[in-house]
Amino acid sequence: MAGPDGRLRCPWGLSADDYIAYHDDEWGRPVHGDDALFERLCLEAFQSGLSWITILRRREGFRRAFDNFEIASVARFTDADQERLLLDEGIIRNRAKVEATLANARALADWTPGELDTLIWSYAPDGATRPAPRTTADVPAITDESTALAKALKKKGLRFIGPTTAYALMQACGLVDDHLNGCVSRAAAPSAAVADGP
């Protein structure tokens, strides 16, 4: 669909003003770094059962609440911190999701630096074998790779991650490029990377 600037974008990227910058500058672009990937993993888990716009509009609140998703810092959160988070109106106050975020940070704190990045990116499919989707109906919700990634993360002790969440993570972090054929961001996605950190 043509946006206000006349450029073609995926239809969802024009469904709300908040989506345009996210669609154009982030979604589908390679993300590296354990903390940056931890943030995306957490946000995708919080999104489960909700619309992404709800998460996007609270992203700065999440960053404040979870110390910019620095794994080492979140791993030190106490029971008192957990209760504080459950009262924080700047985030989604879902006890199971908050508990999973803290548990995941504690698990990841024991990993070797760079291990999360390496593990996640090891499940990136060969882009040359994936044709550009022509419509949103061509975009899958899960794939064999996302199913395997979810299983690998669970085996390593991470919670609240299933094949659908894993695939959303893969889309958001550029492991796959699901911008539609003709979308202005499809050509841009492979050449730009998002650095570690917010």
Side-chain angles (χ1 to χ4, degrees):
M1 295 176 58
D5 56 5
R7 299 194 301 168
L8 296 177
R9 292 179 175 85
C10 302
W12 68 265
L14 293 169
S15 61
D17 289 344
D18 303 81
Y19 274 146
I20 295 176
Y22 178 71
H23 169 274
D24 289 2
D25 302 329
E26 277 194 77
W27 194 78
R29 305 222 181 183
V31 175
H32 286 283
D34 291 347
D35 290 341
L37 288 165
F38 176 59
E39 175 186 1
R40 303 326 192 275
L41 184 64
C42 293
L43 294 179
E44 294 296 346
F46 272 101
Q47 186 271 334
S48 179
L50 302 170
S51 66
W52 179 247
I53 197 72
T54 301
I55 303 302
L56 196 58
R57 289 175 175 164
R58 297 185 186 203
R59 192 172 186 183
E60 291 309 315
F62 275 107
R63 286 174 168 169
R64 284 191 297 273
F66 289 100
D67 285 354
N68 286 319
F69 292 98
E70 293 178 7
I71 293 169
S73 180
V74 179
R76 293 191 295 269
F77 277 22
T78 64
D79 289 345
D81 289 312
Q82 178 173 299
E83 294 308 309
R84 168 184 58 80
L85 291 167
L86 292 172
L87 297 173
D88 191 333
E89 295 181 359
I91 67 170
I92 304 301
R93 295 172 292 172
N94 178 294
R95 182 174 293 275
K97 294 176 182 180
V98 168
E99 288 177 352
T101 299
L102 303 189
N104 289 348
R106 291 173 189 135
L108 290 169
D110 291 332
W111 290 27
T112 303
E115 187 176 353
L116 179 62
D117 189 309
T118 299
L119 186 149
I120 288 175
W121 276 91
S122 72
Y123 288 91
D126 180 1
T129 66
R130 302 181 82 244
R134 301 190 66 80
T135 70
T136 53
D138 296 330
V139 179
I142 62 171
T143 62
D144 291 344
E145 292 88 356
S146 75
T147 300
L149 173 57
K151 183 176 180 180
L153 289 169
K154 285 181 178 179
K155 187 175 181 180
K156 296 281 280 183
L158 272 63
R159 296 162 42 185
F160 229 98
I161 176 81
T164 303
T165 298
Y167 192 67
L169 175 75
M170 294 171 76
Q171 292 174 303
C173 296
L175 279 76
V176 296
D177 182 1
D178 278 341
H179 285 287
L180 301 185
N181 186 45
C183 173
V184 66
S185 293
R186 184 163 184 89
S191 63
V194 177
D196 197 351

